Amino acid sequence: EAQVTQNPRYLITVTGKKLTVTCSQNMNHEYMSWYRQDPGLGLRQIYYSMNVEVTDKGDVPEGYKVSRKEKRNFPLILESPSPNQTSLYFCASSAGGGGAYEQYFGPGTRLTVT
Amino acid sequence: GESVGLHLPTLSVQEGDNSIINCAYSNSASDYFIWYKQESGKGPQFIIDIRSNMDKRQGQRVTVLLNKTVKHLSLQIAATQPGDSAVYFCAVNPGLYGGSQGNLIFGKGTKLSVKP
């Protein structure tokens, strides 16, 4: 089954404790992206990757890091999480050369930073 | 840069009626537009897309209309059903000249409620 998987689905952590949210897709998609979703603000793009070893900032990249060493994986790293990073995070992927194609979203990761 | 706005945060319709959800964007260079549906507890799901060289596209029970003159996008759902209840987002790709091809700007969403 074609899908985007994220782990963990729920995470509660404390300020400053480094964490990684994994994202994997099995569709051989070139493009992958991370979003955060907050009430009243909708979905905002954090980082995206057009292909392996190619990453770029979205609209809200501060406090996040990403890497794309393999085509299927695109982990999101919070080196020193803060409470304002409490949010619902979605990973997405699409075929082709960028965001200009249908994106498939993962189920989401709900992160709480205390 | 691009910004995407929505006309109504909520919309309530009677089952069987048609629904129209509207979206406005700011950058005339934007070249790709998508509508997503998000059900409670799930990730967004693609509904339909349209490129800037078109002004209308139809899917199953859904139609997207693009008016580039006034930078307006709408999603029409025919014969709305209870299963259509969800939050609907429009998203805009600013394109090569409006930003980056990888960048996707989402509107804040319209919550559609369908009354039986």
Side-chain angles (χ1 to χ4, degrees):
Chain A
E1 180 192 351
Q3 60 182 353
V4 178
T5 56
Q6 295 178 228
N7 281 293
R9 294 289 314 279
Y10 302 90
L11 179 60
I12 300 174
T13 189
V14 295
T15 298
K17 186 177 181 183
K18 181 180 178 180
L19 66 92
T20 299
V21 184
T22 65
C23 173
S24 183
Q25 49 93 5
N26 62 0
M27 295 168 279
N28 202 36
H29 284 168
E30 291 183 349
Y31 176 93
M32 297 185 75
S33 182
W34 275 104
Y35 299 88
R36 60 177 290 173
Q37 186 173 32
D38 302 289
L41 296 177
L43 282 146
R44 293 179 293 168
Q45 194 172 37
I46 303 171
Y47 270 96
Y48 61 92
S49 169
M50 303 283 270
N51 213 326
V52 176
E53 301 291 2
V54 180
T55 63
D56 221 332
K57 295 177 181 179
D59 298 312
V60 288
E62 295 78 20
Y64 304 95
K65 281 176 58 177
V66 293
S67 69
R68 186 93 182 272
K69 295 186 181 356
E70 309 166 276
K71 201 170 189 179
R72 62 182 293 127
N73 296 323
F74 190 45
L76 179 69
I77 303 155
L78 284 72
E79 295 269 5
S80 182
S82 63
N84 65 12
Q85 292 178 298
T86 292
S87 187
L88 179 59
Y89 291 86
F90 289 102
C91 179
S93 74
S94 71
Y101 295 85
E102 177 182 349
Q103 289 195 43
Y104 295 82
F105 282 78
T109 295
R110 186 165 294 280
L111 172 66
T112 302
V113 183
T114 62
Chain B
E2 174 65 273
S3 66
V4 179
L6 221 50
H7 292 200
L8 282 176
T10 60
L11 177 64
S12 183
V13 300
Q14 204 70 40
E15 182 178 358
D17 287 351
N18 296 336
S19 303
I20 300 176
I21 301 171
N22 296 302
C23 195
Y25 62 98
S26 64
N27 190 339
S28 57
S30 295
D31 61 6
Y32 180 62
F33 308 85
I34 318 109
W35 282 99
Y36 285 92
K37 173 186 180 182
Q38 187 176 25
E39 296 174 284
S40 182
K42 296 183 179 180
Q45 181 183 11
F46 174 91
I47 303 173
I48 192 167
D49 60 358
I50 189 168
R51 294 197 182 272
S52 58
N53 60 353
M54 303 172 70
D55 52 22
K56 180 179 180 179
R57 192 164 185 221
Q58 288 184 289
Q60 189 178 15
R61 279 201 309 118
V62 295
T63 300
V64 56
L65 298 177
L66 177 63
N67 185 329
K68 293 181 287 294
T69 302
V70 295
K71 298 196 278 290
H72 183 269
L73 184 70
S74 70
L75 176 71
Q76 300 179 1
I77 305 173
T80 313
Q81 302 167 0
D84 295 327
S85 293
V87 178
Y88 290 81
F89 294 95
C90 64
V92 177
N93 185 297
L96 187 60
Y97 301 104
S100 165
Q101 278 189 308
N103 197 206
L104 201 60
I105 312 295
F106 279 76
K108 291 180 173 48
T110 290
K111 184 174 182 179
L112 176 64
S113 299
V114 182
K115 296 177 285 187

